[in-house]
Amino acid sequence: MQFGIFAVSDITQDPTTGYTPSEAERIDASVKIAVKAEEVGLDVFAMGEHHNAPFFSSSPVTLLAHIAALTHRIILSTSTTLITTNDPVRIAEEYAMAQHLAKGRLDITLGRGNTVPVYPWFGKDIRQGLPLALENYNLLHRLWSEDVVDWEGTFRTPLQGFTSTPRPLDDVAPFVWHGSIRTPEIAEQAAYYGNGFFANNLFAPNGHFKPLVDFYRKRFAHYGHGTEEQAIVGLGGQAFIAHRSQDAFDAYRPYFNSAPVYDHSISLEQWAEASPLSVGSPQQIIDKTLEFRDVFGDYQRQLWLMDHAGLPLGMVLDQLELLGSEVVPVLRKEMAARRSPGAADAPTHESLVRAKYGDAEPRQPRPNANRGDNVTGTSPYQDSDPERPANYPVLL
């Protein structure tokens, strides 16, 4: 099982000091947090995508590629890549490039986001948000799995004989998680392709997302990818840790009180009791996370939100120390002891390569010689199947 953190890239005033960091400070802090996550033994660092203030992560793939150069082991992911407003051709190319730079330590979580104005900013209609998400991933899947793609859909210009470059590392696409908090059609698409399903498990009552996760599991089995317990599930959550429970509540209270994402008609203690928000000692965080497993069944990835609401960098780094030293090692043992023998392992690039090639060497695409125009003639790769020639447009 994989344990890590995810972030939304908010730039928020610290309510205890009145200080608001600059964009440059928050970007630098996020890099330090990702490096620290690896140092303390976490498995995943994920960053979201936003195109409006007070957020900075308009290009998570750029940030993740930079972090890849500073780390060696941790898996880098997005907590949301907007499949609705990004061109799937650019997603295919940019994330394949980042996957190469990260030597396979990169996957992607697709979502629709929650910022209404982003749609017209990118020339899209929010009323078509769900059809956009479904169609765009259908195309992205083909761009990563087929060397040459002919495509005609509803929301973008057709493609004829198009090859997305570079091809994914080892000809194995980054693992795809589909994120949703309310839409069964997204869970259905994740199940259809045998991809992962991620529920952010935030700002809602305990167990709120279980029906959607259960639906995904059933459809995963329906499409023949394995049993329901072999479906690939990721969960979010939120944690604030101190050695003593009361110290954790006292330190987090001003950030809770000032954050608009919470229901302030109830207290922090009531919110922590009724929702996936975990505040307290390391043992309390452990117990709360084990309850996730009791509710949702065995799952493959647990990510916590720990960098938001104006928490200063030093406090976040201290949180990561506690998470990595006192919480995650115990959770690894406890989760393994309770795990069903039939549950799937968490996906990695190495496991996907083994599943595709077994003991054989993975494919390493090598282009044919440059013909000057690069878009006409036979397949662009030396190892293409002669029985399946590429279909290229005729240039007049």
Side-chain angles (χ1 to χ4, degrees):
M1 185 168 173
Q2 296 167 346
F3 296 92
I5 57 174
F6 67 145
V8 295
S9 84
D10 64 307
I11 303 174
T12 304
Q13 183 183 73
D14 183 339
T16 68
T17 65
Y19 182 74
T20 301
S22 68
E23 292 177 334
E25 288 173 314
R26 283 291 287 135
I27 292 168
D28 288 345
S30 293
V31 173
K32 290 181 173 69
I33 289 167
V35 171
K36 184 68 171 182
E38 178 172 89
E39 289 178 359
V40 302
L42 301 185
D43 304 308
V44 181
F45 173 83
M47 177 58 72
E49 178 182 349
H50 286 275
H51 296 274
N52 58 294
F55 303 92
F56 68 80
S57 184
S58 58
S59 179
V61 67
T62 306
L63 179 69
L64 296 177
H66 175 66
I67 293 169
L70 303 175
T71 55
H72 304 282
R73 181 191 56 81
I74 196 166
I75 295 171
L76 304 171
S77 185
T78 56
S79 45
T80 303
T81 294
L82 297 178
I83 189 62
T84 45
T85 50
N86 283 303
D87 182 355
V89 171
R90 293 303 294 143
I91 294 177
E93 294 180 334
E94 290 177 354
Y95 282 86
M97 176 65 80
Q99 181 199 31
H100 277 270
L101 295 173
K103 305 302 181 187
R105 296 183 292 117
L106 181 127
D107 58 36
I108 186 171
T109 302
L110 303 176
R112 290 184 288 160
N114 59 6
T115 306
V116 172
V118 74
Y119 285 83
W121 292 342
F122 289 87
K124 307 298 182 183
D125 183 347
I126 192 172
R127 294 170 294 184
Q128 298 296 320
L130 181 56
L132 267 167
L134 298 175
E135 180 178 297
N136 281 354
Y137 178 68
N138 291 338
L139 174 54
L140 177 60
H141 178 82
R142 289 191 58 191
L143 291 169
W144 274 341
S145 59
E146 302 174 29
D147 283 352
V148 180
V149 173
D150 294 321
W151 169 269
E152 186 171 351
T154 303
F155 299 108
R156 61 151 292 135
T157 54
L159 298 174
Q160 291 181 288
F162 179 75
T163 298
S164 175
T165 58
R167 303 305 300 147
L169 179 65
D170 300 318
D171 207 34
V172 172
F175 187 78
V176 174
W177 301 84
H178 299 254
S180 180
I181 60 173
R182 60 182 176 272
T183 309
E185 290 88 346
I186 298 299
E188 178 83 20
Q189 186 177 52
Y192 176 81
Y193 285 105
N195 294 336
F197 181 76
F198 188 86
N200 72 18
N201 204 29
L202 296 172
F203 315 130
N206 289 319
H208 178 79
F209 303 102
K210 178 176 168 54
L212 200 54
V213 170
D214 288 347
F215 173 77
Y216 159 73
R217 290 186 185 276
K218 288 181 172 59
R219 300 306 289 171
F220 182 94
H222 169 80
Y223 288 115
H225 300 298
T227 65
E228 292 183 20
E229 69 175 355
Q230 291 173 322
I232 310 298
V233 174
L235 295 177
Q238 187 183 351
F240 190 90
I241 319 167
H243 288 293
R244 294 177 62 251
S245 176
Q246 192 57 53
D247 290 342
F249 279 95
D250 289 346
Y252 189 63
R253 194 177 311 280
Y255 300 95
F256 172 85
N257 289 341
S258 64
V261 293
Y262 300 113
D263 175 6
H264 294 293
S265 67
I266 60 176
S267 69
L268 170 58
E269 286 79 3
Q270 290 172 311
W271 187 276
E273 177 69 24
S275 79
L277 171 63
S278 304
V279 179
S281 67
Q283 188 59 54
Q284 287 175 298
I285 309 306
I286 292 165
D287 293 341
K288 187 67 167 282
T289 308
L290 291 174
E291 290 176 7
F292 296 169
R293 188 263 176 193
D294 294 338
V295 171
F296 292 95
D298 290 318
Y299 61 111
Q300 285 67 37
R301 176 174 286 185
Q302 172 65 54
L303 303 182
W304 289 277
L305 177 64
M306 303 189 75
D307 169 32
H308 84 125
L311 293 170
L313 174 61
M315 184 177 285
V316 175
L317 298 180
D318 290 344
Q319 294 285 299
L320 293 181
E321 283 282 1
L322 288 170
L323 185 67
S325 63
E326 300 193 29
V327 174
V328 167
V330 177
L331 282 174
R332 290 193 196 280
K333 295 177 182 178
E334 292 292 333
M335 289 289 196
R338 303 173 187 213
R339 200 166 190 80
S340 167
D345 292 332
T348 64
H349 181 73
E350 291 75 18
S351 69
L352 298 175
V353 169
R354 285 195 302 273
K356 182 172 182 176
Y357 297 102
D359 295 330
E361 288 295 315
R363 181 192 184 207
Q364 302 299 329
R366 292 175 170 81
N368 290 313
N370 190 333
R371 298 180 303 273
D373 55 43
N374 295 322
V375 295
T376 61
T378 59
S379 172
Y381 292 103
Q382 296 176 19
D383 61 352
S384 62
D385 184 351
E387 299 301 319
R388 300 178 63 189
N391 180 17
Y392 287 96
V394 176
L395 300 184
L396 302 178

